[in-house]
Amino acid sequence: MAGYEYVSAEQLAGFDKYKYSAVDNNPLSLYVMHPFWNTVVKIFPTWLAPNLITFCGFLLLVFNFFLMAYFDPDFYASAPDHVHVPNKLWVIVGLLNFVAYTLDGVDGKQARRTKSSTPLGELFDHGLDSWACMFFVVTVYSTFGRGSNGVSVFILYLLLWVVLFSFILSHWEKYNTGILFLPWGYDISQVTISIVYIVTSIVGVEAWYEPFLFNILYRDLFTAMIIGCALTVTLPMSLHNYYKAYSTKTLKHDSLYEVMLPFFSPVLLFVLCTVWIFQSPSDILEVHPRLFYFMVGTAFANISCRLIVCQMSSTRCQPLNWLLLPLALAILTIMSGLVPQHETLLLYLLTVVITLAHIHYGVCVVNQLSKHFNIRPFSLRKPNSD
């Protein structure tokens, strides 16, 4: 099964013709982060594969997620009258988050520096980014938690979806315009999150209990920043970029159906998961919020990766992702009342199935494209150089 070929012959032909096209006009990125990354990349030896840098950065976010899962499994650790996460851990989480962000910024520079840029590198980078969205959003939630001064798990669920849809929006743009407009919100959020972690290590989580301004709590500021960034920056810029392509007649798809195809699976995933939350006999989101977020984020990552393959290969996006089928069956089983006592077990099984399926998809696609381009994913040596 490790050699299963998910990428079709038509898509492989599309990858052969692919040319990277991206626009980054974020002032923070242009005038602060890129000069910093240009300096950092010189530290790395020229034999180091860019994909290895990408993967290491992703693993740091995964480590942060599970570190917080150990010290704050149910998001109550930051609530009053609960045992808090040790302050020194916030320093570790903050530094690792910034290092992960830095590695994500220098991997492409390392590829150009070593003349090893390939479509696989971009796919690998953005594919892991789609999964990373869940990891960093859920991890930062622990700074506020869900106590009396925190954010409810359902509000965080909605905020997670705001971030996920912001991510898919940029790739919807590229699917229709052929140009990836890098979102401003990503750089701003990563720098802000890293600072929040470091500040938390100094002042403690108790500092977030106090009003920020005019009795506005920091949790409300946190919520407003995520929603405000999506509504005032990400969405307007995406619509503007789409309209520019429409007005210059450079859109890749004409019909409204084809234009909106990338949204079908993400929207259905949101609807199905939200129905599960409201129909859950055991209040599954309240009982197992972290596991539920993980399941949602992993299913979303698989949907995003398949979209990225389609937009990079200039092929038609599939309207429905097959991982939505076991999710729909699980929800129907729960709503039927057949297994009211085993809802938690069902969530665990579904999460395992979705996670293994997504990892299998990723490994197979990387192996298939590596073979197609005659490269090694984590080495700059050619396979036939032995």
Side-chain angles (χ1 to χ4, degrees):
M1 289 295 288
Y4 188 85
E5 296 186 346
Y6 286 100
V7 184
S8 68
E10 180 188 5
Q11 289 173 331
L12 288 175
F15 273 109
D16 287 333
K17 302 173 185 175
Y18 177 75
K19 299 293 183 184
Y20 179 69
S21 179
V23 174
D24 186 1
N25 51 17
N26 178 5
L28 174 61
S29 177
L30 290 177
Y31 301 113
V32 180
M33 299 316 303
H34 276 294
F36 172 67
W37 295 332
N38 288 334
T39 301
V40 171
V41 74
K42 297 175 183 177
I43 299 173
F44 297 112
T46 54
W47 52 260
L48 185 63
N51 287 343
L52 194 56
I53 297 175
T54 305
F55 193 53
C56 287
F58 172 74
L59 290 180
L60 293 180
L61 295 178
V62 176
F63 176 81
N64 274 352
F65 175 86
F66 285 105
L67 183 65
M68 283 296 109
Y70 177 79
F71 285 95
D72 184 22
D74 300 318
F75 303 107
Y76 279 117
S78 293
D81 302 323
H82 284 74
V83 178
H84 299 327
V85 174
N87 284 0
K88 61 183 179 182
L89 282 180
W90 292 117
V91 177
I92 296 173
V93 172
L95 292 176
L96 292 183
N97 187 85
F98 187 77
V99 171
Y101 168 53
T102 300
L103 294 179
D104 189 42
V106 303
D107 52 4
K109 296 182 183 298
Q110 176 74 351
R112 289 183 285 276
R113 179 174 173 239
T114 57
K115 297 180 174 56
S116 59
S117 298
T118 65
L120 173 59
E122 181 182 344
L123 175 61
F124 190 70
D125 185 6
H126 295 161
L128 289 181
D129 285 345
S130 68
W131 206 359
C133 288
M134 177 273 299
F135 288 115
F136 74 74
V137 170
V138 176
T139 301
V140 77
Y141 182 34
S142 288
T143 57
F144 302 95
R146 56 169 170 166
S148 56
N149 298 91
V151 178
S152 73
V153 290
F154 183 70
I155 293 298
L156 195 278
Y157 167 77
L158 296 179
L159 294 178
L160 174 61
W161 269 109
V162 171
V163 173
L164 297 182
F165 271 116
S166 296
F167 178 88
I168 206 79
L169 200 59
S170 63
H171 290 282
W172 169 80
E173 282 181 75
K174 187 173 184 182
Y175 179 76
N176 286 289
T177 66
I179 302 173
L180 179 64
F181 296 91
L182 299 175
W184 286 27
Y186 174 70
D187 295 288
I188 296 171
S189 66
Q190 290 305 303
V191 173
T192 303
I193 287 172
S194 299
I195 293 173
V196 166
Y197 287 142
I198 301 299
V199 171
T200 302
S201 73
I202 299 171
V203 301
V205 296
E206 296 86 356
W208 307 124
Y209 301 164
E210 303 300 322
F212 168 68
L213 188 66
F214 303 121
N215 291 325
I216 298 175
L217 296 177
Y218 281 98
R219 67 178 184 188
D220 302 318
L221 181 64
F222 168 71
T223 303
M225 285 180 63
I226 293 178
I227 297 175
C229 184
L231 294 180
T232 63
V233 180
T234 305
L235 181 60
M237 290 185 69
S238 292
L239 294 178
H240 173 70
N241 294 329
Y242 176 84
Y243 178 76
K244 281 202 306 184
Y246 171 79
S247 61
T248 56
K249 301 186 185 303
T250 56
L251 285 175
K252 300 177 69 175
H253 307 283
D254 296 325
S255 71
L256 181 62
Y257 175 76
E258 292 291 338
V259 166
M260 300 304 291
L261 262 182
F263 288 130
F264 285 13
S265 286
V267 168
L268 184 54
L269 175 63
F270 171 74
V271 170
L272 288 173
C273 292
T274 306
V275 168
W276 188 349
I277 292 170
F278 283 106
Q279 296 297 320
S280 171
S282 65
D283 208 354
I284 196 69
L285 185 62
E286 288 288 335
V287 178
H288 297 289
R290 190 178 291 274
L291 185 63
F292 198 89
Y293 299 147
F294 184 89
M295 181 273 294
V296 171
T298 305
F300 173 84
N302 191 262
I303 292 170
S304 298
C305 287
R306 292 172 185 268
L307 168 61
I308 295 169
V309 168
C310 291
Q311 49 109 314
M312 290 184 66
S313 61
S314 297
T315 54
R316 187 173 183 266
C317 176
Q318 295 302 308
L320 295 176
N321 186 298
W322 76 266
L323 287 180
L324 296 175
L325 178 59
L327 174 60
L329 290 175
I331 295 171
L332 288 174
T333 302
I334 292 165
M335 293 178 64
S336 68
L338 295 176
V339 289
Q341 303 90 353
H342 303 293
E343 186 178 10
T344 295
L345 176 61
L346 201 57
L347 175 60
Y348 272 97
L349 290 175
L350 182 64
T351 302
V352 169
V353 169
I354 290 176
T355 303
L356 292 179
H358 181 53
I359 292 174
H360 183 266
Y361 176 81
V363 170
C364 289
V365 169
V366 168
N367 286 338
Q368 188 179 358
L369 289 180
S370 296
K371 182 179 178 181
H372 179 74
F373 290 113
N374 191 35
I375 59 175
R376 290 177 175 176
F378 299 115
S379 173
L380 297 182
R381 297 176 60 191
K382 293 290 185 181
N384 56 6
S385 64
D386 298 332

